Amino acid sequence: MTNWWRDAVIYQVYPRSFADANGDGMGDLAGVRDRMPYLAKLGVDAIWLSPFYTSPQNDGGYDVADYRDVDPRFGTLEDFDAMREAAHEAGIRIIVDLVPNHSSSEHAWFKAALAAGPGSAERARYHFRDVDPAKPDTPPNNWQSVFGGPAWSKTPDGKQWYLHLFDSTQPDLNWDNPEVHAEFHSILRFWLDRGADGFRIDVAHGMVKAEGLPDTGGDGSIEMIGTTQAPFFDQDGVHEIYRTWRPIIEEYEGDRIFVAEAWTDSAERRALYLRPDELHQAFNFDLVLAPFSAADFRKAIDAEIANNAGIGAPCTWVLSNHDVHRHVTRYGDGPIGLARAKAATQLLFALPGVVYVYQGEELGLNEVLDLPDEVRQDPTFFRTNGEQIGRDGCRVPIPWKTEGPSLGFGDAEGWLPQPEGWGALSVEAQDGVEGSTLEFYRKVIALRKEHKATGLTWLDEPGENAFAFDNGALVCVVNFSDEPLALDAFEGEVLLSSAEIVEGRLPAGSAVWFAK
Ligand code: NOJ
C-alpha cells in the first residue's frame, strides 16, 4: 500500500501562534507561507492547520462563524491560496480543520435561529428546548459543558434553552436535520475545490446525540479527554455521517484524507472510525495520557497496533497538541523533562504508522504554566472560575529569534507573552547547532524516511522499565527508568541516540536506534 498518509509525518500549525507576518500580535496565513522553507527543511509531509476561519475567537477559532472564509486576523482566502501554493511547491500537503459539532453563535444560522423564534426551521438546525415555566432554572437534561458549567444556556428572551457541549458561544448543530448534512457536504467541497489535501475533524465522536437527549450518568459532567461513551459522544449513528463523506473525498484526486479527533473509551471503539468506508486516520491519544513508563507505553502501542492492523488502517501517534500540556512538562520539565520528551519522540518515530508533531515541540518548548490571569483566553479557565488553568500554556507564540519584541514571532508583542529563556530555545539559537532539539528532530525525521518501519516485534526486555523492539528496519531501545541501561544485548551501528551513550550504557530517559 503506497498511500502517503500511512507513514507520514504531519506537523500541526496553530495559526494564532505560529508566525505573525503583519505585526498585529497574532499569527496569520502569510506567516505560515513565509515559514514553508523551515517546514520543508524539517522534513514534514503535511501540515494540519487549526481553524483560521471567520470567528469571534472565543475558543481559539473552534467557534466558526463562516466556514468558507478566512478570519481577517489571519488574512484572506487569497492568503490561503498563496500559502497552499507555497506548501505544494515545497511538497507539503495541507490539512484543514473542520468543526462540524457546533458553530459559533455568530454564525448566520444561529443568528437566524434566534431571530426566527421557537418551532421555526431555523431553530431546527440546532438543539433548542422550551423552558419549563414550572422549573425555569432547570435545563432540559443534566449534561455539563466540556469547559465546565451547564451545557445549556437560555436564549436572550429567556423562553428556550439551547445546547452547547463547549462554550455558550458554540451551539451544537442538530445532525438529525438533513440541512446540516447538506451544508457540511458543501463545505467539504468548498475546501477540496480550493486544494485542501484533507480535513482534521474536530470532536469527530460528537455530532450525533442519543434519541431524546437523555440524562447521562453521574453528575452529567463531560470529559473530552479520556471520555466514556455518553449520550452525546461516540454514538453509533456518527458513523453514518462519515459513510456519506468518504465518497465525496474520493471524488477528488490526490489521495486526500480525513483524520479524526475521536476521544473514545478504547482502541476498539476508535478503530470503528477507521473502517474502509469511513475515515483514514484517528489520533491515538493514549500516549498523550500515558505516564512516562515502559509498561504504559507498551500497553497503548499494542492496543493500537492490534486494532488498526486488522482493518488496514495506520496507527496515528501523537504526544502533544494545542489541547494538552506539552510533553516536556508532562514528563517533569527541565533537563529531565526534555530528555524524556526526546526519548518518547524518538520512540514514536520508530513506530509503524503516522506521526503528528505539534508546533514548537521540535524546539523542546515547555508548557507555560505561569501566564498571568489577565492574558488567559481559554474558555476553560473562565467557565471553571480559574479552577482549571486551561490550554493557553501550550499556545504561546513560537520563538523564531533570540531577541525582539516577540522573539521573531512578529514585529510586535505576541498575543500571549513568551517566558524568560525562550530566546535560547528559538529556531535561530538551535539552527545548525549540533545536539540541539531542532537538529535532533531534523535527524530523526530524515532517518525515519530512510528506515521505514514495516511492523513491530518486541524483543526481550533489556532491563527494568525499559523496552526494545524491531520495526523491520531498525531496533529501537528506550530506557524509561532513572538508571543508565546496559546495551550489551544489542549490536549494530548506532543510527541515533537521544542522549550520548556512555560506556555502553543508555542514560536514564533516553532512546537509541540500531541499524539492522
Ligand atoms: C477540540 C479542539 O481541539 C479544541 O481546541 C476545542 O476547544 C474543542 N474541540 C471544541 O471545538
Side-chain angles (χ1 to χ4, degrees):
M1 281 179 272
T2 53
N3 312 104
W4 70 274
W5 44 270
R6 291 185 180 277
D7 59 2
V9 176
I10 303 180
Y11 184 96
Q12 180 189 355
V13 171
Y14 192 69
R16 287 162 72 96
S17 307
F18 188 63
D20 170 19
N22 68 356
D24 66 354
M26 176 113 358
D28 42 45
L29 294 181
V32 182
R33 183 203 56 211
D34 292 348
R35 304 293 173 176
M36 219 47 85
Y38 170 80
L39 296 169
K41 189 166 178 195
L42 190 57
V44 304
D45 302 296
I47 56 175
W48 146 38
L49 295 129
S50 282
F52 48 75
Y53 317 109
T54 315
S55 159
Q57 300 288 317
N58 290 328
D59 182 23
Y62 283 94
D63 46 327
V64 181
D66 184 348
Y67 289 89
R68 296 182 184 80
D69 207 350
V70 174
D71 192 281
R73 296 174 186 86
F74 300 129
T76 60
L77 282 170
E78 288 66 40
D79 290 326
F80 172 83
D81 292 340
M83 188 236 2
R84 182 210 57 226
E85 225 147 87
H88 286 171
E89 268 165 33
I92 294 174
R93 291 175 154 95
I94 300 280
I95 295 174
V96 298
D97 218 309
L98 188 72
V99 189
N101 180 70
H102 45 267
S103 74
S104 160
S105 51
E106 295 295 307
H107 190 284
W109 272 11
F110 194 74
K111 290 202 226 164
L114 289 186
S120 60
E122 286 82 356
R123 288 215 176 175
R125 295 168 178 150
Y126 295 90
H127 296 279
F128 283 92
R129 293 290 180 275
D130 285 340
V131 171
D132 179 350
K135 292 182 288 177
D137 296 325
T138 309
N141 65 24
N142 73 346
W143 301 358
Q144 301 288 301
S145 154
V146 172
F147 293 155
W152 295 90
S153 291
K154 280 186 194 167
T155 53
D157 63 8
K159 292 191 177 147
Q160 283 204 306
W161 298 97
Y162 66 91
L163 175 69
H164 54 86
L165 290 180
F166 295 89
D167 189 50
S168 57
T169 61
Q170 292 168 295
D172 278 51
L173 288 157
N174 175 11
W175 280 86
D176 288 332
N177 185 335
E179 257 194 277
V180 174
H181 290 252
E183 175 66 356
F184 275 86
H185 289 169
S186 155
I187 294 165
L188 286 176
R189 288 184 189 284
F190 179 87
W191 290 103
L192 290 167
D193 288 338
R194 241 187 153 95
D197 299 292
F199 299 89
R200 176 262 190 191
I201 305 168
D202 187 63
V203 202
H205 56 308
M207 293 134 91
V208 172
K209 276 81 186 171
E211 178 83 43
L213 311 185
D215 277 356
T216 183
D219 65 358
S221 65
I222 300 174
E223 293 284 332
M224 179 174 70
I225 296 178
T227 186
T228 51
Q229 202 187 355
F232 37 79
F233 277 162
D234 199 20
Q235 292 289 303
D236 288 334
V238 77
H239 298 288
E240 295 303 325
I241 298 174
Y242 301 133
R243 292 194 182 110
T244 70
W245 288 13
R246 184 71 181 240
I248 293 177
I249 209 166
E250 302 265 330
E251 279 173 33
Y252 289 79
E253 282 177 6
D255 206 7
R256 309 189 198 194
I257 62 159
F258 292 116
V259 52
E261 184 217 19
W263 292 87
T264 57
D265 265 355
S266 62
E268 286 95 324
R269 295 280 320 166
R270 187 166 55 243
L272 298 178
Y273 292 79
L274 295 168
R275 288 174 287 191
D277 56 349
E278 297 194 36
L279 310 175
H280 302 75
Q281 304 172 346
F283 296 117
N284 175 317
F285 292 120
D286 297 347
L287 294 181
V288 170
L289 302 174
F292 188 74
S293 106
D296 289 288
F297 268 63
R298 184 166 169 162
K299 192 168 152 224
I301 292 166
D302 279 339
E304 175 81 351
I305 291 178
N307 282 291
N308 292 14
I311 49 168
C315 301
T316 300
W317 309 107
V318 48
L319 289 171
S320 281
N321 64 28
H322 65 294
D323 288 328
V324 297
H325 283 185
R326 286 183 176 277
H327 57 288
V328 166
T329 301
R330 294 206 309 272
Y331 300 151
D333 247 334
I336 184 72
L338 180 59
R340 289 173 175 170
K342 285 169 75 177
T345 297
Q346 190 169 339
L347 153 66
L348 221 66
F349 278 95
L351 294 174
V354 188
V355 177
Y356 277 77
V357 171
Y358 176 51
Q359 67 178 37
E361 67 169 82
E362 77 279 18
L363 303 176
L365 298 186
N366 54 289
E367 183 77 10
V368 184
L369 296 168
D370 58 355
L371 287 167
D373 288 354
E374 318 79 81
V375 303
R376 291 196 179 278
Q377 296 203 8
D378 184 355
T380 316
F381 176 74
F382 301 104
R383 291 187 62 90
T384 63
N385 297 319
E387 252 174 58
Q388 288 182 35
I389 60 167
R391 302 161 293 173
D392 292 308
C394 59
R395 301 173 177 180
V396 172
I398 296 296
W400 293 92
K401 297 209 168 114
T402 51
E403 284 173 8
S406 54
L407 300 174
F409 167 65
D411 290 339
E413 305 240 316
W415 67 278
L416 285 174
Q418 295 144 317
E420 288 286 310
W422 268 27
L425 296 177
S426 66
V427 174
E428 185 181 42
Q430 299 197 41
D431 189 24
V433 175
E434 183 64 32
S436 70
T437 309
L438 176 58
E439 291 302 334
F440 170 77
Y441 266 75
R442 286 176 176 161
K443 216 174 278 172
V444 96
I445 292 173
L447 279 172
R448 173 186 150 94
K449 289 214 166 106
E450 283 169 35
H451 302 266
K452 289 200 174 205
T454 54
L456 186 143
T457 309
W458 294 106
L459 304 176
D460 287 346
E461 278 185 19
E464 213 175 303
N465 202 10
F467 62 50
F469 60 86
D470 181 336
N471 74 5
L474 53 80
V475 168
C476 176
V477 185
V478 190
N479 179 8
F480 290 87
S481 79
D482 295 331
E483 302 294 331
L485 175 75
L487 291 170
D488 309 343
F490 302 94
E491 50 189 33
E493 178 204 347
V494 171
L495 291 171
L496 180 69
S497 63
S498 67
E500 201 186 331
I501 296 172
V502 184
E503 293 168 1
R505 295 178 345 142
L506 184 63
S510 56
V512 59
W513 288 352
F514 291 101
K516 283 190 50 179

Coordinates of all heavy atoms in Angstrom, one line a residue, residues 462-464 466-467 477-479 481 483-488 490 504-508:
P462 N 15.2 -5.3 27.9 CA 16.6 -5.1 28.2 C 16.9 -4.7 29.7 O 18.1 -4.7 30.1 CB 17.0 -4.0 27.3 CG 15.7 -3.2 27.0 CD 14.6 -4.2 27.2
G463 N 15.9 -4.5 30.4 CA 16.1 -4.1 31.8 C 14.8 -3.6 32.4 O 13.8 -3.5 31.7
E464 N 14.8 -3.2 33.7 CA 13.6 -2.8 34.3 C 13.1 -1.4 33.7 O 14.0 -0.5 33.6 CB 13.8 -2.7 35.8 CG 12.6 -3.0 36.6 CD 12.9 -3.0 38.1 OE1 13.8 -3.8 38.5 OE2 12.3 -2.2 38.8
A466 N 12.2 -0.6 30.8 CA 12.8 -0.3 29.5 C 12.2 -1.3 28.5 O 11.7 -2.3 28.9 CB 14.3 -0.5 29.6
F467 N 12.3 -0.9 27.3 CA 11.9 -2.0 26.3 C 12.6 -1.8 25.0 O 13.3 -0.8 24.8 CB 10.4 -2.0 26.1 CG 9.6 -0.8 25.5 CD1 10.1 -0.1 24.4 CD2 8.5 -0.4 26.1 CE1 9.4 1.0 23.9 CE2 7.8 0.7 25.7 CZ 8.2 1.4 24.5
V477 N 15.6 1.0 21.3 CA 15.6 0.7 22.7 C 15.3 2.0 23.5 O 15.8 3.0 23.1 CB 17.1 0.2 23.1 CG1 17.1 -0.2 24.6 CG2 17.6 -0.9 22.2
V478 N 14.4 1.8 24.4 CA 14.0 3.0 25.2 C 14.2 2.7 26.7 O 13.7 1.7 27.2 CB 12.5 3.4 24.9 CG1 12.2 4.8 25.5 CG2 12.2 3.5 23.4
N479 N 14.9 3.6 27.3 CA 15.1 3.5 28.8 C 14.2 4.5 29.5 O 14.5 5.7 29.5 CB 16.6 3.8 29.1 CG 16.9 3.6 30.5 OD1 16.1 3.2 31.3 ND2 18.1 4.0 30.9
S481 N 13.6 4.3 32.6 CA 14.0 4.3 34.1 C 14.8 5.5 34.5 O 15.2 6.3 33.6 CB 14.7 3.0 34.4 OG 16.0 3.1 34.0
E483 N 17.8 5.0 35.8 CA 19.2 4.5 35.8 C 19.7 4.2 34.4 O 18.9 3.9 33.5 CB 19.2 3.1 36.6 CG 18.7 3.1 38.0 CD 19.5 3.9 38.9 OE1 20.7 4.0 38.7 OE2 19.0 4.5 39.9
P484 N 21.0 4.3 34.2 CA 21.5 4.0 32.9 C 21.2 2.5 32.6 O 21.1 1.7 33.5 CB 23.0 4.3 33.0 CG 23.2 5.0 34.2 CD 22.0 4.8 35.1
L485 N 21.1 2.2 31.3 CA 20.8 0.9 30.9 C 21.9 0.3 30.0 O 22.3 0.9 29.0 CB 19.5 0.9 30.0 CG 19.0 -0.3 29.4 CD1 18.3 -1.2 30.4 CD2 18.0 0.0 28.2
A486 N 22.4 -0.9 30.5 CA 23.5 -1.6 29.7 C 22.9 -2.0 28.3 O 21.8 -2.6 28.3 CB 24.0 -2.8 30.5
L487 N 23.7 -1.8 27.3 CA 23.2 -2.1 26.0 C 23.9 -3.4 25.4 O 23.9 -3.6 24.2 CB 23.4 -0.9 25.0 CG 22.6 0.3 25.3 CD1 23.1 1.5 24.5 CD2 21.1 0.0 25.0
D488 N 24.5 -4.2 26.3 CA 25.3 -5.3 25.9 C 24.5 -6.2 24.9 O 25.1 -6.8 24.0 CB 25.7 -6.2 27.1 CG 26.3 -5.4 28.2 OD1 26.7 -4.3 27.9 OD2 26.4 -5.9 29.3
F490 N 22.7 -5.6 22.5 CA 22.4 -5.1 21.2 C 23.7 -4.9 20.4 O 24.8 -4.5 21.0 CB 21.7 -3.8 21.3 CG 20.4 -3.9 22.1 CD1 20.3 -3.7 23.4 CD2 19.3 -4.4 21.4 CE1 19.2 -3.9 24.2 CE2 18.1 -4.6 22.1 CZ 18.0 -4.3 23.5
G504 N 28.9 2.3 26.9 CA 27.9 1.2 26.5 C 26.6 1.2 27.3 O 25.9 0.3 27.3
R505 N 26.3 2.4 27.9 CA 25.1 2.4 28.7 C 24.2 3.6 28.2 O 24.7 4.7 28.0 CB 25.4 2.5 30.2 CG 26.0 1.2 30.6 CD 26.4 1.1 32.0 NE 26.6 2.2 32.9 CZ 26.2 2.2 34.1 NH1 25.7 1.1 34.7 NH2 26.4 3.2 34.9
L506 N 22.9 3.3 28.1 CA 22.0 4.3 27.6 C 21.5 5.1 28.8 O 20.9 4.5 29.7 CB 20.8 3.6 26.9 CG 19.7 4.4 26.2 CD1 20.3 5.3 25.1 CD2 18.6 3.5 25.7
P507 N 21.7 6.4 28.8 CA 21.3 7.2 30.0 C 19.8 7.1 30.3 O 19.0 6.7 29.5 CB 21.7 8.6 29.6 CG 22.7 8.5 28.5 CD 22.3 7.3 27.8
A508 N 19.5 7.4 31.6 CA 18.1 7.4 32.0 C 17.3 8.3 31.1 O 17.8 9.4 30.7 CB 18.1 8.0 33.5

